[in-house]
Amino acid sequence: MRAVRAAFHDECATLGGVLRGLGPADLDRPTGCPPWRVRELIAHVSTGAGRLAGMLSAPAPGRAEVDAAGYFGAAKFTPEVDRARIDSARREARELPDPAAVAAEFGRAWRAADAAVGRQPADQVVRTRHGDAMALSEFLVTRVVEVGVHGLDLAAALGRAPWLTPAAAEVVAALLTGGRDVPAELGWDRLALVSRATGRVPLTGRERAVLTAAGVRWLSFGG
């Protein structure tokens, strides 16, 4: 779990640096996650990054039943769940009116989660808000995915080059490939794989066929 925690820390710290440099107009830019603007997407990421702090204060399930890949299942993106997710981010964004408040809340959320993880044993099990019983290490992988992949969305919305950190790219790529190498015939690095396999960059028919043949996991990120 040490490497995953380091990836979470690095990716959150990098995003935090970006947020501290935003101006008021940046928060109202549209994103590739409609209907959210940048401010709502950041609110969603903040909530997701900080979720572990509350989860670790609740009673632990007896055993893990879902892994990180299983967490990103289509059942979590029904219209009702999507609507609740959208509305929650909008409410939270309204409470953070300016870039300084947005950056401060994200910093508070992820650092509280990181500190809570540091106090747990390696075999800790948690229950997600969807009811999944997961090993803490597996759920932490999903947090790296959330911060890293939505970081790609934020970079695109802000007109910046992707800042996905090497540590986070390695964690997300390993989840997508099941720990195998990126298919050599595509000539991609991990950023290219993550961007395409998560739908942030369109795939050609050939690319999709190569990824499918290589056993890449097609995770669900929305309804």
Side-chain angles (χ1 to χ4, degrees):
M1 187 167 70
R2 184 177 302 173
V4 180
R5 185 183 175 195
F8 178 73
H9 181 283
D10 288 357
E11 192 65 20
C12 287
T14 299
L15 175 55
V18 172
L19 299 186
R20 288 191 294 274
L22 296 185
D26 290 324
L27 297 182
D28 289 321
R29 289 175 179 248
T31 73
C33 302
W36 286 336
R37 298 166 295 169
V38 165
R39 66 171 70 245
E40 285 92 14
L41 182 53
I42 296 171
H44 171 71
V45 174
S46 292
T47 297
R51 198 176 298 283
L52 265 168
M55 290 167 57
L56 288 168
S57 67
R63 62 184 178 86
E65 299 172 352
V66 176
D67 64 7
Y71 176 85
F72 291 102
K76 295 186 177 65
F77 300 98
T78 63
E80 296 77 13
V81 174
D82 264 346
R83 174 53 54 189
R85 184 182 294 109
I86 289 167
D87 291 346
S88 174
R90 284 173 161 168
R91 287 193 303 271
E92 290 157 8
R94 285 195 293 268
E95 297 176 2
L96 302 169
D98 58 73
V102 168
E105 174 56 22
F106 176 70
R108 181 208 62 77
W110 81 260
R111 290 184 186 282
D114 184 60
V117 170
R119 295 190 290 268
Q120 305 304 314
D123 60 351
Q124 180 67 37
V125 179
V126 297
R127 189 172 301 282
T128 75
R129 69 188 182 97
H130 301 289
D132 300 320
M134 297 182 68
L136 172 58
S137 58
E138 288 289 302
F139 187 74
L140 191 57
V141 168
T142 73
R143 300 306 88 192
V144 176
V145 173
E146 291 275 356
V147 179
V149 172
H150 280 316
L152 299 179
D153 297 326
L154 289 168
L158 295 167
R160 303 189 186 187
W163 53 74
L164 186 68
T165 61
E170 183 172 354
V171 169
V172 181
L175 175 62
L176 292 168
T177 65
R180 295 180 291 275
D181 292 335
V182 179
E185 58 264 48
L186 294 174
W188 293 349
D189 60 11
R190 291 189 179 104
L191 172 60
L193 172 70
V194 172
S195 299
R196 288 162 174 77
T198 64
R200 272 57 196 174
V201 174
L203 286 167
T204 66
R206 171 184 170 273
E207 290 168 346
R208 181 173 290 275
V210 170
L211 293 179
T212 298
V216 165
R217 295 159 165 166
W218 302 107
L219 309 181
S220 295
F221 292 99

